[in-house]
Amino acid sequence: MIIGAREHRVVTDDGVELAVVEAGDPTRPTICFLHGYPDSRGVWTQVMAALAPTYHVVAYDTRGAGRSSAPPPGRAGYRLDRLEEDFLTVLDALAPYGPVHLVGHDWGSVQGWEFATSPRLQGGLASFTSVSGPCLDHAALWVRARLRRPTPANLWALLAQGLRSWYITAFQLPRLPEALWRGPLGRSWGAVWRALEGTRVPGHPASTLPQDAANGLWLYRANTRERARHPRPDRFARVPVQLVVPERDPYLSPRLYQDLDTWAPVLRRRSVEAGHWLPLTRPELLAGWIAEFVDAVRVGSIPSVGHAGGAARSPAR
């Protein structure tokens, strides 16, 4: 429960209604939270509750999830550039007092990398904390770099990540993944999640999960193959980045972030012995790291990207 939480409905330019929650004083620094797949904004409740007394905190159900409406099924409604428009719409409505500090988990972090590297968001973001979600362009270039140098270590890294990412290929199949999520997988996901994380969190998963997961399959279909085939080599972070890496993440190998210094000129790395869903299993720890990073950026002890000692480096060839 977030004391003093306020609910809003924000309508995007293509007619999707986004369900937004905010708490805290809007004149204080704003921290905006993006949830992942197949979750809704509820994964951030405990983290937001810890930070709301000091900051202005905002989270929303992304299109097709939770209490937000969904666009028609198809790739166009879930492309990353479309999600960027949603984010800008929320910022215009609820963060009018300056740049925001962005925090993303899973697909929320994938989105966050898109926004943190976007020319359109320059000046709109103050920092980015990434939890369990890479930039799709960086991930594709990481794969290509290791294929160009097929040493045993590089091949092992590729194999290890490939085994963790099998479901991305499965999600490209038509109709079957939707049927599984609306049927047996959706009904059993709570038990699967508890087995993966070794804990139980009241209210998770949300009652909307089967439909949220079915809708969110279009995130993978709209973005992963395109970025794998045509990664953009110019996606440099325009704000300081805090990378939080759960060491026992069953979906993402820590090796996937080996080259990240190339793309993030100002980077703080954190590692924790935990599984994928850190916002739910270690909310106090994560809230503390977020607050520490936000405050360090605000007072200048972590420099802005423009004062990081030179321009971002070109990616290794």
Side-chain angles (χ1 to χ4, degrees):
M1 177 179 174
I2 307 172
I3 297 174
R6 304 176 291 278
E7 302 272 347
H8 304 274
R9 305 290 293 183
V10 175
V11 182
T12 68
D13 60 4
D14 65 341
V16 171
E17 289 191 0
L18 300 174
V20 188
V21 63
E22 66 167 336
D25 184 348
T27 65
R28 292 177 176 175
T30 297
I31 306 176
C32 186
F33 296 85
L34 296 175
H35 69 81
Y37 178 90
D39 301 318
S40 58
R41 72 186 194 214
V43 299
W44 290 114
T45 297
Q46 296 178 78
V47 176
M48 292 175 68
L51 295 171
T54 308
Y55 306 94
H56 177 225
V57 294
V58 176
Y60 62 96
D61 292 322
T62 58
R63 52 178 50 213
R67 298 180 184 177
S68 292
S69 63
R75 291 178 173 83
Y78 290 89
R79 288 174 52 89
L80 284 168
D81 53 2
R82 177 65 263 178
L83 300 175
E84 186 173 320
E85 295 292 341
D86 292 354
F87 181 63
L88 288 167
T89 300
V90 172
L91 293 192
D92 287 344
L94 292 166
Y97 294 108
V100 305
H101 300 269
L102 179 60
V103 182
H105 172 253
D106 189 85
W107 262 95
S109 181
V110 173
Q111 291 183 64
W113 278 109
E114 185 75 6
F115 307 158
T117 60
S118 170
R120 295 184 64 195
L121 268 296
Q122 190 163 11
L125 296 182
S127 72
F128 172 43
T129 294
S130 166
V131 186
S132 294
C135 173
L136 297 184
D137 300 284
H138 299 169
L141 292 166
W142 177 87
V143 169
R144 292 185 178 200
R146 277 140 191 85
L147 288 174
R148 285 196 300 270
R149 296 185 66 245
T151 64
N154 283 344
L155 292 176
W156 175 249
L158 289 170
L159 176 62
Q161 182 55 53
L163 292 173
R164 295 174 191 235
S165 301
W166 65 269
Y167 61 94
I168 295 176
T169 300
F171 284 173
Q172 308 296 327
L173 297 172
R175 294 185 291 277
L176 178 60
E178 282 91 340
L180 289 172
W181 275 117
R182 292 189 180 113
L185 183 55
R187 290 192 296 270
S188 64
W189 181 246
V192 172
W193 186 88
R194 289 189 290 272
L196 287 170
E197 295 295 321
T199 189
R200 182 186 298 267
V201 176
H204 183 80
S207 61
T208 57
L209 180 132
Q211 188 59 48
D212 297 348
N215 291 336
L217 291 165
W218 290 105
L219 291 168
Y220 294 89
R221 295 165 181 169
N223 299 292
T224 54
R225 284 193 293 189
E226 177 185 346
R227 289 290 180 264
R229 292 169 179 169
H230 307 290
R232 297 165 296 179
D234 59 349
R235 302 306 285 191
F236 299 101
R238 299 168 182 269
V239 293
V241 174
Q242 176 173 225
L243 176 72
V244 180
V245 181
E247 294 287 345
R248 292 188 285 103
D249 193 324
Y251 309 112
L252 296 164
S253 167
R255 296 183 183 92
L256 191 59
Y257 305 104
Q258 287 172 329
D259 300 342
L260 196 55
D261 297 85
T262 298
W263 309 104
V266 179
L267 178 65
R268 171 180 286 184
R269 294 176 183 260
R270 307 265 201 182
S271 294
V272 57
E273 187 65 23
H276 182 74
W277 273 272
L278 199 63
L280 288 167
T281 60
R282 301 290 296 277
E284 297 86 1
L285 174 70
L286 185 55
W289 283 351
I290 293 167
E292 182 182 327
F293 187 63
V294 166
D295 290 346
V297 170
R298 288 175 59 208
V299 303
S301 60
I302 292 179
S304 65
V305 169
H307 297 84
R313 292 168 289 171
S314 298
R317 297 292 180 185

